[in-house]
Amino acid sequence: MITISENNLIKIGKEAMVLLPLKKWQAIEELLTEQEDLSRYNRAIAGNKKAVSFEKVKKQLNLP
């Protein structure tokens, strides 16, 4: 059952829901993805791992 109260709150069942235009949701989703990527990157560089050059990786993988 869907009800709309006087303060524009939409409830489906017992939980309140939020309605957003698709473009706004996609922008929010993109920001969250970027934040996750940044977090992973920061964890990776925070460790005491030594950097490997791109040229060395190319040689190891036999890339042109």
Side-chain angles (χ1 to χ4, degrees):
M1 176 177 203
I2 298 174
T3 58
I4 300 176
S5 65
E6 294 138 63
N7 58 359
N8 294 328
L9 179 68
I10 298 173
K11 287 190 176 186
I12 299 177
K14 293 183 179 183
E15 295 195 38
M17 300 291 164
V18 176
L19 298 176
L20 293 172
L22 182 58
K23 286 184 181 181
K24 285 190 180 186
W25 171 247
Q26 288 171 334
I28 291 169
E29 197 172 33
E30 186 177 322
L31 288 172
L32 291 172
T33 303
E34 289 173 4
Q35 183 64 34
E36 288 174 13
D37 292 343
L38 182 61
S39 177
R40 270 191 243 129
Y41 173 77
N42 286 333
R43 279 194 309 255
I45 64 169
N48 291 330
K49 299 176 183 174
K50 84 176 184 183
V52 178
S53 72
F54 181 67
E55 293 302 320
K56 188 172 181 179
V57 172
K58 276 177 53 174
K59 255 187 189 177
Q60 288 177 343
L61 298 175
N62 295 324
L63 296 175

mmCIF file of all heavy atoms in Angstrom, residues 25-64:
data_model
loop_
_atom_site.group_PDB
_atom_site.id
_atom_site.type_symbol
_atom_site.label_atom_id
_atom_site.label_comp_id
_atom_site.label_asym_id
_atom_site.label_seq_id
_atom_site.Cartn_x
_atom_site.Cartn_y
_atom_site.Cartn_z
ATOM 1 N N TRP A 25 20.280 10.412 -9.967
ATOM 2 C CA TRP A 25 20.740 9.157 -9.365
ATOM 3 C C TRP A 25 22.039 8.698 -10.029
ATOM 4 O O TRP A 25 22.962 8.258 -9.360
ATOM 5 C CB TRP A 25 19.686 8.069 -9.479
ATOM 6 C CG TRP A 25 20.250 6.753 -9.068
ATOM 7 C CD1 TRP A 25 20.478 5.671 -9.842
ATOM 8 C CD2 TRP A 25 20.727 6.401 -7.760
ATOM 9 N NE1 TRP A 25 21.048 4.674 -9.108
ATOM 10 C CE2 TRP A 25 21.217 5.094 -7.822
ATOM 11 C CE3 TRP A 25 20.786 7.080 -6.545
ATOM 12 C CZ2 TRP A 25 21.760 4.430 -6.733
ATOM 13 C CZ3 TRP A 25 21.323 6.420 -5.448
ATOM 14 C CH2 TRP A 25 21.804 5.126 -5.545
ATOM 15 N N GLN A 26 22.147 8.816 -11.353
ATOM 16 C CA GLN A 26 23.364 8.406 -12.045
ATOM 17 C C GLN A 26 24.551 9.265 -11.617
ATOM 18 O O GLN A 26 25.664 8.755 -11.465
ATOM 19 C CB GLN A 26 23.166 8.476 -13.561
ATOM 20 C CG GLN A 26 22.248 7.380 -14.079
ATOM 21 C CD GLN A 26 21.876 7.549 -15.528
ATOM 22 O OE1 GLN A 26 21.864 8.658 -16.064
ATOM 23 N NE2 GLN A 26 21.530 6.440 -16.175
ATOM 24 N N ALA A 27 24.320 10.559 -11.390
ATOM 25 C CA ALA A 27 25.395 11.437 -10.920
ATOM 26 C C ALA A 27 25.846 11.020 -9.525
ATOM 27 O O ALA A 27 27.054 10.965 -9.237
ATOM 28 C CB ALA A 27 24.930 12.894 -10.929
ATOM 29 N N ILE A 28 24.899 10.701 -8.658
ATOM 30 C CA ILE A 28 25.237 10.255 -7.298
ATOM 31 C C ILE A 28 26.000 8.934 -7.363
ATOM 32 O O ILE A 28 27.008 8.748 -6.677
ATOM 33 C CB ILE A 28 23.967 10.111 -6.440
ATOM 34 C CG1 ILE A 28 23.355 11.478 -6.164
ATOM 35 C CG2 ILE A 28 24.259 9.382 -5.136
ATOM 36 C CD1 ILE A 28 21.977 11.443 -5.553
ATOM 37 N N GLU A 29 25.539 8.023 -8.199
ATOM 38 C CA GLU A 29 26.186 6.719 -8.343
ATOM 39 C C GLU A 29 27.624 6.872 -8.846
ATOM 40 O O GLU A 29 28.537 6.209 -8.370
ATOM 41 C CB GLU A 29 25.363 5.877 -9.312
ATOM 42 C CG GLU A 29 25.652 4.407 -9.272
ATOM 43 C CD GLU A 29 24.660 3.625 -10.109
ATOM 44 O OE1 GLU A 29 24.176 4.126 -11.145
ATOM 45 O OE2 GLU A 29 24.371 2.496 -9.709
ATOM 46 N N GLU A 30 27.832 7.789 -9.785
ATOM 47 C CA GLU A 30 29.173 8.044 -10.311
ATOM 48 C C GLU A 30 30.088 8.605 -9.222
ATOM 49 O O GLU A 30 31.242 8.192 -9.102
ATOM 50 C CB GLU A 30 29.088 9.022 -11.487
ATOM 51 C CG GLU A 30 30.404 9.243 -12.183
ATOM 52 C CD GLU A 30 30.257 10.154 -13.383
ATOM 53 O OE1 GLU A 30 29.234 10.058 -14.092
ATOM 54 O OE2 GLU A 30 31.171 10.958 -13.606
ATOM 55 N N LEU A 31 29.568 9.521 -8.416
ATOM 56 C CA LEU A 31 30.362 10.073 -7.311
ATOM 57 C C LEU A 31 30.753 8.988 -6.308
ATOM 58 O O LEU A 31 31.888 8.952 -5.820
ATOM 59 C CB LEU A 31 29.592 11.187 -6.595
ATOM 60 C CG LEU A 31 29.452 12.494 -7.343
ATOM 61 C CD1 LEU A 31 28.500 13.430 -6.592
ATOM 62 C CD2 LEU A 31 30.799 13.152 -7.516
ATOM 63 N N LEU A 32 29.825 8.094 -6.007
ATOM 64 C CA LEU A 32 30.123 7.004 -5.080
ATOM 65 C C LEU A 32 31.188 6.075 -5.647
ATOM 66 O O LEU A 32 32.091 5.632 -4.930
ATOM 67 C CB LEU A 32 28.853 6.223 -4.752
ATOM 68 C CG LEU A 32 27.810 6.962 -3.918
ATOM 69 C CD1 LEU A 32 26.528 6.154 -3.831
ATOM 70 C CD2 LEU A 32 28.346 7.269 -2.537
ATOM 71 N N THR A 33 31.110 5.784 -6.934
ATOM 72 C CA THR A 33 32.100 4.925 -7.582
ATOM 73 C C THR A 33 33.469 5.584 -7.557
ATOM 74 O O THR A 33 34.477 4.937 -7.253
ATOM 75 C CB THR A 33 31.687 4.621 -9.037
ATOM 76 O OG1 THR A 33 30.404 4.022 -9.028
ATOM 77 C CG2 THR A 33 32.672 3.698 -9.709
ATOM 78 N N GLU A 34 33.509 6.886 -7.856
ATOM 79 C CA GLU A 34 34.781 7.606 -7.820
ATOM 80 C C GLU A 34 35.363 7.601 -6.409
ATOM 81 O O GLU A 34 36.572 7.451 -6.236
ATOM 82 C CB GLU A 34 34.601 9.042 -8.309
ATOM 83 C CG GLU A 34 34.349 9.139 -9.798
ATOM 84 C CD GLU A 34 33.999 10.545 -10.238
ATOM 85 O OE1 GLU A 34 34.013 11.475 -9.407
ATOM 86 O OE2 GLU A 34 33.705 10.710 -11.440
ATOM 87 N N GLN A 35 34.515 7.736 -5.407
ATOM 88 C CA GLN A 35 34.979 7.727 -4.018
ATOM 89 C C GLN A 35 35.560 6.358 -3.661
ATOM 90 O O GLN A 35 36.587 6.280 -2.997
ATOM 91 C CB GLN A 35 33.823 8.075 -3.078
ATOM 92 C CG GLN A 35 34.220 8.160 -1.631
ATOM 93 C CD GLN A 35 35.209 9.275 -1.347
ATOM 94 O OE1 GLN A 35 35.168 10.314 -1.973
ATOM 95 N NE2 GLN A 35 36.108 9.043 -0.430
ATOM 96 N N GLU A 36 34.915 5.274 -4.112
ATOM 97 C CA GLU A 36 35.432 3.929 -3.857
ATOM 98 C C GLU A 36 36.787 3.735 -4.529
ATOM 99 O O GLU A 36 37.709 3.182 -3.925
ATOM 100 C CB GLU A 36 34.458 2.871 -4.380
ATOM 101 C CG GLU A 36 33.206 2.723 -3.577
ATOM 102 C CD GLU A 36 32.220 1.760 -4.226
ATOM 103 O OE1 GLU A 36 32.617 1.027 -5.155
ATOM 104 O OE2 GLU A 36 31.061 1.756 -3.800
ATOM 105 N N ASP A 37 36.911 4.205 -5.776
ATOM 106 C CA ASP A 37 38.177 4.078 -6.499
ATOM 107 C C ASP A 37 39.281 4.855 -5.800
ATOM 108 O O ASP A 37 40.402 4.366 -5.653
ATOM 109 C CB ASP A 37 38.029 4.569 -7.940
ATOM 110 C CG ASP A 37 37.136 3.681 -8.787
ATOM 111 O OD1 ASP A 37 36.891 2.521 -8.376
ATOM 112 O OD2 ASP A 37 36.683 4.139 -9.849
ATOM 113 N N LEU A 38 38.965 6.059 -5.353
ATOM 114 C CA LEU A 38 39.946 6.881 -4.646
ATOM 115 C C LEU A 38 40.367 6.224 -3.345
ATOM 116 O O LEU A 38 41.557 6.212 -2.993
ATOM 117 C CB LEU A 38 39.366 8.270 -4.374
ATOM 118 C CG LEU A 38 40.278 9.268 -3.686
ATOM 119 C CD1 LEU A 38 41.517 9.534 -4.528
ATOM 120 C CD2 LEU A 38 39.543 10.565 -3.419
ATOM 121 N N SER A 39 39.431 5.641 -2.651
ATOM 122 C CA SER A 39 39.728 4.949 -1.399
ATOM 123 C C SER A 39 40.667 3.773 -1.642
ATOM 124 O O SER A 39 41.645 3.572 -0.920
ATOM 125 C CB SER A 39 38.433 4.483 -0.744
ATOM 126 O OG SER A 39 38.702 3.752 0.416
ATOM 127 N N ARG A 40 40.386 2.976 -2.675
ATOM 128 C CA ARG A 40 41.255 1.833 -3.021
ATOM 129 C C ARG A 40 42.641 2.317 -3.405
ATOM 130 O O ARG A 40 43.651 1.727 -3.016
ATOM 131 C CB ARG A 40 40.648 1.029 -4.169
ATOM 132 C CG ARG A 40 39.739 -0.050 -3.683
ATOM 133 C CD ARG A 40 39.370 -0.984 -4.817
ATOM 134 N NE ARG A 40 37.935 -0.845 -4.972
ATOM 135 C CZ ARG A 40 37.296 -0.603 -6.085
ATOM 136 N NH1 ARG A 40 37.938 -0.502 -7.208
ATOM 137 N NH2 ARG A 40 36.003 -0.477 -6.100
ATOM 138 N N TYR A 41 42.713 3.392 -4.180
ATOM 139 C CA TYR A 41 43.999 3.943 -4.603
ATOM 140 C C TYR A 41 44.803 4.401 -3.386
ATOM 141 O O TYR A 41 45.991 4.101 -3.270
ATOM 142 C CB TYR A 41 43.775 5.116 -5.567
ATOM 143 C CG TYR A 41 45.033 5.854 -5.919
ATOM 144 C CD1 TYR A 41 45.932 5.312 -6.828
ATOM 145 C CD2 TYR A 41 45.327 7.077 -5.332
ATOM 146 C CE1 TYR A 41 47.094 5.988 -7.150
ATOM 147 C CE2 TYR A 41 46.489 7.760 -5.646
ATOM 148 C CZ TYR A 41 47.371 7.204 -6.556
ATOM 149 O OH TYR A 41 48.521 7.870 -6.862
ATOM 150 N N ASN A 42 44.146 5.107 -2.477
ATOM 151 C CA ASN A 42 44.846 5.590 -1.288
ATOM 152 C C ASN A 42 45.358 4.448 -0.420
ATOM 153 O O ASN A 42 46.456 4.530 0.134
ATOM 154 C CB ASN A 42 43.941 6.516 -0.463
ATOM 155 C CG ASN A 42 43.776 7.865 -1.114
ATOM 156 O OD1 ASN A 42 44.648 8.314 -1.852
ATOM 157 N ND2 ASN A 42 42.657 8.516 -0.866
ATOM 158 N N ARG A 43 44.581 3.374 -0.290
ATOM 159 C CA ARG A 43 45.047 2.200 0.466
ATOM 160 C C ARG A 43 46.239 1.567 -0.208
ATOM 161 O O ARG A 43 47.183 1.123 0.447
ATOM 162 C CB ARG A 43 43.925 1.177 0.617
ATOM 163 C CG ARG A 43 42.949 1.493 1.721
ATOM 164 C CD ARG A 43 42.083 0.288 2.037
ATOM 165 N NE ARG A 43 41.478 -0.287 0.842
ATOM 166 C CZ ARG A 43 40.209 -0.149 0.490
ATOM 167 N NH1 ARG A 43 39.390 0.537 1.246
ATOM 168 N NH2 ARG A 43 39.757 -0.699 -0.615
ATOM 169 N N ALA A 44 46.233 1.517 -1.535
ATOM 170 C CA ALA A 44 47.318 0.887 -2.281
ATOM 171 C C ALA A 44 48.616 1.666 -2.127
ATOM 172 O O ALA A 44 49.684 1.076 -1.944
ATOM 173 C CB ALA A 44 46.947 0.760 -3.751
ATOM 174 N N ILE A 45 48.553 2.991 -2.195
ATOM 175 C CA ILE A 45 49.791 3.767 -2.096
ATOM 176 C C ILE A 45 50.219 3.975 -0.653
ATOM 177 O O ILE A 45 51.362 4.330 -0.398
ATOM 178 C CB ILE A 45 49.694 5.126 -2.830
ATOM 179 C CG1 ILE A 45 48.652 6.044 -2.208
ATOM 180 C CG2 ILE A 45 49.437 4.924 -4.300
ATOM 181 C CD1 ILE A 45 48.712 7.446 -2.724
ATOM 182 N N ALA A 46 49.317 3.736 0.300
ATOM 183 C CA ALA A 46 49.657 3.909 1.705
ATOM 184 C C ALA A 46 50.597 2.802 2.186
ATOM 185 O O ALA A 46 51.381 3.009 3.099
ATOM 186 C CB ALA A 46 48.403 3.944 2.565
ATOM 187 N N GLY A 47 50.507 1.635 1.572
ATOM 188 C CA GLY A 47 51.377 0.528 1.961
ATOM 189 C C GLY A 47 52.816 0.821 1.570
ATOM 190 O O GLY A 47 53.106 1.677 0.736
ATOM 191 N N ASN A 48 53.735 0.131 2.174
ATOM 192 C CA ASN A 48 55.146 0.343 1.870
ATOM 193 C C ASN A 48 55.586 -0.538 0.707
ATOM 194 O O ASN A 48 56.585 -1.236 0.780
ATOM 195 C CB ASN A 48 56.005 0.054 3.108
ATOM 196 C CG ASN A 48 55.790 1.079 4.186
ATOM 197 O OD1 ASN A 48 55.495 2.225 3.889
ATOM 198 N ND2 ASN A 48 55.921 0.676 5.427
ATOM 199 N N LYS A 49 54.867 -0.511 -0.351
ATOM 200 C CA LYS A 49 55.191 -1.295 -1.528
ATOM 201 C C LYS A 49 56.035 -0.444 -2.459
ATOM 202 O O LYS A 49 55.767 0.740 -2.636
ATOM 203 C CB LYS A 49 53.917 -1.753 -2.232
ATOM 204 C CG LYS A 49 53.049 -2.628 -1.368
ATOM 205 C CD LYS A 49 51.777 -2.981 -2.068
ATOM 206 C CE LYS A 49 50.903 -3.797 -1.125
ATOM 207 N NZ LYS A 49 49.609 -4.059 -1.678
ATOM 208 N N LYS A 50 57.031 -1.057 -3.046
ATOM 209 C CA LYS A 50 57.851 -0.271 -3.960
ATOM 210 C C LYS A 50 57.174 -0.200 -5.318
ATOM 211 O O LYS A 50 56.517 -1.154 -5.757
ATOM 212 C CB LYS A 50 59.260 -0.819 -4.031
ATOM 213 C CG LYS A 50 59.495 -1.942 -4.965
ATOM 214 C CD LYS A 50 60.970 -2.288 -4.986
ATOM 215 C CE LYS A 50 61.169 -3.380 -6.030
ATOM 216 N NZ LYS A 50 62.481 -3.867 -6.122
ATOM 217 N N ALA A 51 57.346 0.900 -5.983
ATOM 218 C CA ALA A 51 56.724 1.118 -7.284
ATOM 219 C C ALA A 51 57.473 0.346 -8.360
ATOM 220 O O ALA A 51 58.680 0.157 -8.284
ATOM 221 C CB ALA A 51 56.719 2.604 -7.607
ATOM 222 N N VAL A 52 56.732 -0.110 -9.359
ATOM 223 C CA VAL A 52 57.312 -0.810 -10.498
ATOM 224 C C VAL A 52 57.036 0.031 -11.732
ATOM 225 O O VAL A 52 55.914 0.474 -11.950
ATOM 226 C CB VAL A 52 56.678 -2.215 -10.655
ATOM 227 C CG1 VAL A 52 57.244 -2.925 -11.869
ATOM 228 C CG2 VAL A 52 56.869 -3.031 -9.402
ATOM 229 N N SER A 53 58.065 0.242 -12.533
ATOM 230 C CA SER A 53 57.885 1.077 -13.717
ATOM 231 C C SER A 53 57.041 0.359 -14.764
ATOM 232 O O SER A 53 56.984 -0.873 -14.817
ATOM 233 C CB SER A 53 59.242 1.444 -14.318
ATOM 234 O OG SER A 53 59.812 0.314 -14.942
ATOM 235 N N PHE A 54 56.413 1.147 -15.588
ATOM 236 C CA PHE A 54 55.579 0.606 -16.652
ATOM 237 C C PHE A 54 56.416 -0.214 -17.622
ATOM 238 O O PHE A 54 56.000 -1.255 -18.105
ATOM 239 C CB PHE A 54 54.848 1.744 -17.375
ATOM 240 C CG PHE A 54 53.949 1.271 -18.460
ATOM 241 C CD1 PHE A 54 52.816 0.535 -18.168
ATOM 242 C CD2 PHE A 54 54.212 1.553 -19.786
ATOM 243 C CE1 PHE A 54 51.966 0.087 -19.167
ATOM 244 C CE2 PHE A 54 53.376 1.111 -20.793
ATOM 245 C CZ PHE A 54 52.252 0.373 -20.479
ATOM 246 N N GLU A 55 57.623 0.246 -17.910
ATOM 247 C CA GLU A 55 58.506 -0.463 -18.830
ATOM 248 C C GLU A 55 58.844 -1.854 -18.305
ATOM 249 O O GLU A 55 58.876 -2.822 -19.058
ATOM 250 C CB GLU A 55 59.788 0.352 -19.067
ATOM 251 C CG GLU A 55 59.552 1.655 -19.807
ATOM 252 C CD GLU A 55 58.895 1.457 -21.165
ATOM 253 O OE1 GLU A 55 59.240 0.498 -21.880
ATOM 254 O OE2 GLU A 55 58.008 2.259 -21.508
ATOM 255 N N LYS A 56 59.071 -1.978 -16.996
ATOM 256 C CA LYS A 56 59.385 -3.276 -16.398
ATOM 257 C C LYS A 56 58.177 -4.221 -16.502
ATOM 258 O O LYS A 56 58.329 -5.399 -16.812
ATOM 259 C CB LYS A 56 59.793 -3.093 -14.940
ATOM 260 C CG LYS A 56 60.314 -4.337 -14.297
ATOM 261 C CD LYS A 56 60.869 -4.049 -12.926
ATOM 262 C CE LYS A 56 61.412 -5.323 -12.312
ATOM 263 N NZ LYS A 56 61.980 -5.090 -10.992
ATOM 264 N N VAL A 57 57.008 -3.709 -16.287
ATOM 265 C CA VAL A 57 55.794 -4.510 -16.399
ATOM 266 C C VAL A 57 55.598 -4.970 -17.848
ATOM 267 O O VAL A 57 55.267 -6.122 -18.102
ATOM 268 C CB VAL A 57 54.553 -3.731 -15.906
ATOM 269 C CG1 VAL A 57 53.272 -4.488 -16.191
ATOM 270 C CG2 VAL A 57 54.676 -3.415 -14.435
ATOM 271 N N LYS A 58 55.839 -4.078 -18.785
ATOM 272 C CA LYS A 58 55.726 -4.443 -20.214
ATOM 273 C C LYS A 58 56.671 -5.579 -20.540
ATOM 274 O O LYS A 58 56.316 -6.517 -21.260
ATOM 275 C CB LYS A 58 56.036 -3.233 -21.097
ATOM 276 C CG LYS A 58 54.856 -2.321 -21.309
ATOM 277 C CD LYS A 58 55.162 -1.085 -22.125
ATOM 278 C CE LYS A 58 55.820 -1.345 -23.437
ATOM 279 N NZ LYS A 58 55.989 -0.141 -24.269
ATOM 280 N N LYS A 59 57.899 -5.519 -20.028
ATOM 281 C CA LYS A 59 58.881 -6.572 -20.292
ATOM 282 C C LYS A 59 58.425 -7.898 -19.697
ATOM 283 O O LYS A 59 58.503 -8.942 -20.333
ATOM 284 C CB LYS A 59 60.230 -6.196 -19.649
ATOM 285 C CG LYS A 59 61.250 -5.734 -20.620
ATOM 286 C CD LYS A 59 62.566 -5.551 -19.903
ATOM 287 C CE LYS A 59 63.551 -4.874 -20.813
ATOM 288 N NZ LYS A 59 64.812 -4.610 -20.177
ATOM 289 N N GLN A 60 57.920 -7.852 -18.462
ATOM 290 C CA GLN A 60 57.487 -9.072 -17.771
ATOM 291 C C GLN A 60 56.309 -9.729 -18.481
ATOM 292 O O GLN A 60 56.191 -10.945 -18.520
ATOM 293 C CB GLN A 60 57.112 -8.775 -16.326
ATOM 294 C CG GLN A 60 58.304 -8.470 -15.448
ATOM 295 C CD GLN A 60 57.887 -8.097 -14.035
ATOM 296 O OE1 GLN A 60 56.736 -7.768 -13.777
ATOM 297 N NE2 GLN A 60 58.854 -8.123 -13.122
ATOM 298 N N LEU A 61 55.436 -8.932 -19.072
ATOM 299 C CA LEU A 61 54.262 -9.451 -19.743
ATOM 300 C C LEU A 61 54.466 -9.662 -21.243
ATOM 301 O O LEU A 61 53.536 -10.043 -21.961
ATOM 302 C CB LEU A 61 53.065 -8.528 -19.509
ATOM 303 C CG LEU A 61 52.624 -8.376 -18.068
ATOM 304 C CD1 LEU A 61 51.507 -7.350 -17.952
ATOM 305 C CD2 LEU A 61 52.172 -9.704 -17.482
ATOM 306 N N ASN A 62 55.696 -9.388 -21.703
ATOM 307 C CA ASN A 62 56.040 -9.530 -23.125
ATOM 308 C C ASN A 62 55.111 -8.717 -24.030
ATOM 309 O O ASN A 62 54.573 -9.215 -25.011
ATOM 310 C CB ASN A 62 56.036 -10.996 -23.564
ATOM 311 C CG ASN A 62 57.110 -11.781 -22.862
ATOM 312 O OD1 ASN A 62 58.202 -11.260 -22.610
ATOM 313 N ND2 ASN A 62 56.818 -13.022 -22.524
ATOM 314 N N LEU A 63 54.888 -7.473 -23.633
ATOM 315 C CA LEU A 63 54.043 -6.577 -24.434
ATOM 316 C C LEU A 63 54.926 -5.764 -25.361
ATOM 317 O O LEU A 63 56.081 -5.477 -25.056
ATOM 318 C CB LEU A 63 53.254 -5.654 -23.514
ATOM 319 C CG LEU A 63 52.251 -6.329 -22.591
ATOM 320 C CD1 LEU A 63 51.647 -5.302 -21.651
ATOM 321 C CD2 LEU A 63 51.171 -7.038 -23.371
ATOM 322 N N PRO A 64 54.396 -5.354 -26.512
ATOM 323 C CA PRO A 64 55.188 -4.550 -27.466
ATOM 324 C C PRO A 64 55.469 -3.156 -26.962
ATOM 325 O O PRO A 64 54.880 -2.593 -26.149
ATOM 326 C CB PRO A 64 54.326 -4.502 -28.714
ATOM 327 C CG PRO A 64 52.957 -4.913 -28.312
ATOM 328 C CD PRO A 64 53.075 -5.642 -27.030
#
